[in-house]
Amino acid sequence: MTFDELQKIVYDAGIVGAGGAGFPTHRKFSDKVKQIIVNAAECEPLMMVDHHLLEHHLQALVDTLNILIDVMGADEAIIGIKGKNMHLLDDKIVASLAGTKVKIKEIPDIYPAGDEVVLTYETTGKIIPEGAIPVMVGVMVINVETVYNIHCAVTKGEPVTQKYITIGGDTKEDITIKAPVGMKIKELLEAAGYGDLTDKAVINGGPMMGKLVDIENDVVTKTTKGLLIFPEMHSIIQRKKRPMSMTLKRASAACCNCTMCSDMCPRNLLGYDIQVHKTVRAASHSEVNDTESFLQSALCCGCGVCTVIGCQQMLDPQAISMEVKGQLGRQGLRRQNNKAPEKVREERASRLVSSSVLIDRLGIRKYVKPSVERKYMDFKPNKVYIELKQHVGKPASATVKVGAKVKAGDVVAQTAYEDLGTTMHASINGKIAEITDRFVVIER
């Protein structure tokens, strides 16, 4: 298989990062990649999708990594997995990797181990320069489920029409299921037996970086990794519901400029010049002339350590930094004075945040179950709503017309190959019922 052939297969299959922002995977491939890092950190509490894939599909992941190594001419692939999860891996398969280019690397049980900057350092010792992407240090970071989706595309010709999802939180049992892309989240929860949401709210993603679900309108996308249910009055939900205007007012009134948010920032500890407290002050006091304090927010990964662990005033530096970062991005403003840190800060080792400490600080210890069951459920939604933008970059455009008949796996929308985007497929058999600015709606 050639480099161009692999890129085309992955683009045609609609594969994007399955655990984060949804960067189109085919655009990550490069002959400059020397190390492929598989993010198997299962970074946020209560998330268990990667556990299932590592336990049941490790050989498929290894085979796919060997293909990627050969096609890109990489030196090695490293599966970065927390030591506490090594028991998930088949001993025979692990033993077979001795002397090969695919390696298993145990990483510490810290948060955010899945941040690509942190993961790259923990697996290779390299620090990605500020404002840069992993390929600048010869690295490609890829999610476990994304690797598995490449396996399905290369070996079976299957596009991404289904998504692995963990349902958990304030539930009797946590489960991992596989659901059609485009299924209404409300309908999915009802079909899975989690329909009673009285006085509860749902987060799409983890408790730290996930977003509140609009239960009437949101649907499963290629990046939906977890649906976590919490009491509506839980501090996690209340913080995510707080309007930005109130968040800024609280910061302007109560921030004592103690610098704890900066001192605990995982990227600051890796040597990045990110001073979160300065962004908080500049934004909350409208210090618009302090441009650097705004622009440095571009270095924020949004992990939330500053809010949950750092700030002792119960403010929300994470939300403020991400709001500023988003506003700057929409205006096309970029930080110009990025640097390449030479080493991590000496105090890093003593300030790493363990998953256990994070769980307790979040107040979710009682929601951590001893196990998460993989339930094989056959979901049959009458309608699916295929979002045109499930990825970083340019939204896809519909390639079908209302009334057209489609089968699961048929292309229904696409971003031009030369643009940053990908391909969308029908996840059920049916006909095109509606096309909007947001969805291609398919009715069974």
Side-chain angles (χ1 to χ4, degrees):
M1 183 184 299
T2 67
F3 184 92
D4 290 342
E5 288 171 341
L6 176 63
Q7 275 196 313
K8 188 67 165 55
I9 289 171
V10 172
Y11 165 78
D12 287 343
I15 299 172
V16 301
F23 195 90
T25 303
H26 70 284
R27 294 293 291 270
K28 281 191 172 186
F29 298 157
S30 169
D31 57 8
K32 296 179 181 179
V33 170
K34 298 306 175 187
Q35 293 170 299
I36 301 166
I37 301 175
V38 180
N39 182 355
E42 201 79 90
C43 190
E44 291 215 39
L46 307 180
M47 309 293 277
M48 293 290 177
V49 163
D50 292 348
H51 281 60
H52 166 76
L53 293 172
L54 289 167
E55 186 172 8
H56 297 285
H57 300 288
L58 180 59
Q59 189 60 58
L61 299 175
V62 169
D63 292 344
T64 305
L65 290 173
N66 280 317
I67 292 173
L68 297 180
I69 290 170
D70 289 342
V71 171
M72 286 188 281
D75 295 332
E76 61 180 353
I78 305 169
I79 300 175
I81 180 172
K82 293 179 179 179
K84 69 176 185 180
N85 294 327
M86 284 293 292
H87 68 279
L88 298 169
L89 306 182
D90 186 302
D91 291 339
K92 292 182 179 179
I93 297 176
V94 173
S96 73
L97 299 179
T100 73
K101 292 184 177 182
V102 178
K103 299 174 174 59
I104 308 292
K105 172 73 174 180
E106 291 187 38
I107 58 175
D109 185 17
I110 58 172
Y111 178 84
D115 170 38
E116 66 180 12
V117 177
V118 175
L119 184 65
T120 297
Y121 177 74
E122 293 294 345
T123 53
T124 70
K126 297 177 179 178
I127 304 175
I128 299 170
E130 294 177 354
I133 56 178
V135 73
M136 299 297 291
V137 292
V139 165
M140 180 179 79
V141 180
I142 189 168
N143 177 267
V144 169
E145 188 176 357
T146 306
V147 177
Y148 185 68
N149 286 337
I150 295 174
H151 163 78
C152 293
V154 170
T155 63
K156 307 175 189 176
E158 292 179 355
V160 179
T161 62
Q162 302 277 320
K163 187 69 183 69
Y164 284 98
I165 304 168
T166 295
I167 303 175
D170 187 16
T171 57
K172 289 184 178 179
E173 66 171 351
D174 290 3
I175 63 173
T176 294
I177 50 89
K178 197 175 184 182
V181 171
M183 186 175 184
K184 284 273 184 105
I185 288 177
K186 180 179 181 180
E187 186 179 351
L188 170 62
L189 292 174
E190 289 173 347
Y194 299 83
D196 184 5
L197 297 176
T198 306
D199 298 325
K200 294 182 180 181
V202 183
I203 294 174
N204 184 343
M208 293 291 280
M209 299 178 70
K211 300 186 183 305
L212 284 172
V213 168
D214 176 349
I215 201 64
E216 296 297 331
N217 297 302
D218 284 355
V219 304
V220 173
T221 71
K222 297 177 183 182
T223 61
T224 303
K225 191 101 175 167
L227 296 172
L228 302 182
I229 302 168
F230 293 110
E232 198 164 21
M233 296 309 296
H234 196 285
S235 60
I236 291 174
I237 302 300
Q238 291 302 301
R239 183 169 63 248
K240 292 181 184 295
K241 282 188 171 184
R242 190 177 297 137
M244 180 51 59
S245 58
M246 183 183 295
T247 298
L248 290 169
K249 285 180 181 178
R250 292 177 75 247
S252 67
C255 178
C256 63
N257 210 38
C258 71
T259 77
M260 281 293 288
C261 53
S262 299
D263 294 342
M264 292 303 296
C265 171
R267 290 194 170 184
N268 177 286
L269 292 172
L270 282 173
Y272 277 33
D273 188 16
I274 175 171
Q275 304 292 327
V276 186
H277 66 284
K278 292 184 178 180
T279 301
V280 171
R281 179 176 177 82
S284 62
H285 290 276
S286 300
E287 296 177 352
V288 294
N289 290 327
D290 186 7
T291 56
E292 175 57 22
S293 291
F294 285 96
L295 289 170
Q296 66 167 342
S297 67
L299 303 179
C300 176
C301 70
C303 71
V305 167
C306 55
T307 293
V308 176
I309 304 294
C311 185
Q312 304 305 299
Q313 300 287 72
M314 300 181 72
L315 304 177
D316 199 349
Q318 173 196 30
I320 293 172
S321 294
M322 292 305 288
E323 174 69 16
V324 172
K325 180 178 181 177
Q327 293 281 6
L328 292 174
R330 286 187 283 276
Q331 296 298 322
L333 299 173
R334 298 188 175 209
R335 187 170 185 261
Q336 301 298 320
N337 55 329
N338 292 315
K339 65 179 184 179
E342 295 181 3
K343 62 180 181 179
V344 303
R345 302 192 191 280
E346 292 182 2
E347 60 271 26
R348 181 176 187 264
S350 64
R351 294 182 183 172
L352 296 174
V353 179
S354 73
S355 295
S356 182
V357 167
L358 182 65
I359 287 168
D360 287 333
R361 188 62 70 89
L362 285 168
I364 59 173
R365 175 68 64 183
K366 62 182 178 180
Y367 302 133
V368 178
K369 314 294 193 302
S371 63
V372 177
E373 182 183 355
R374 167 69 169 102
K375 282 206 169 179
Y376 294 84
M377 307 179 73
D378 188 15
F379 297 102
K380 292 186 177 295
N382 290 322
K383 281 186 179 180
V384 292
Y385 301 75
I386 308 299
E387 286 214 31
L388 297 173
K389 186 169 174 56
Q390 303 181 41
H391 54 273
V392 169
K394 187 176 180 180
S397 298
T399 58
V400 290
K401 297 184 181 299
V402 173
K405 292 182 179 180
V406 293
K407 294 180 179 179
D410 286 351
V411 175
V412 297
Q414 207 163 38
T415 306
Y417 187 73
E418 60 271 16
D419 293 329
L420 183 62
T422 191
T423 307
M424 306 299 175
H425 303 82
S427 58
I428 62 172
N429 299 335
K431 66 177 181 179
I432 307 300
E434 186 181 2
I435 298 174
T436 71
D437 291 341
R438 181 181 175 187
F439 297 117
V440 172
V441 184
I442 304 170
E443 185 174 24
R444 190 177 293 278

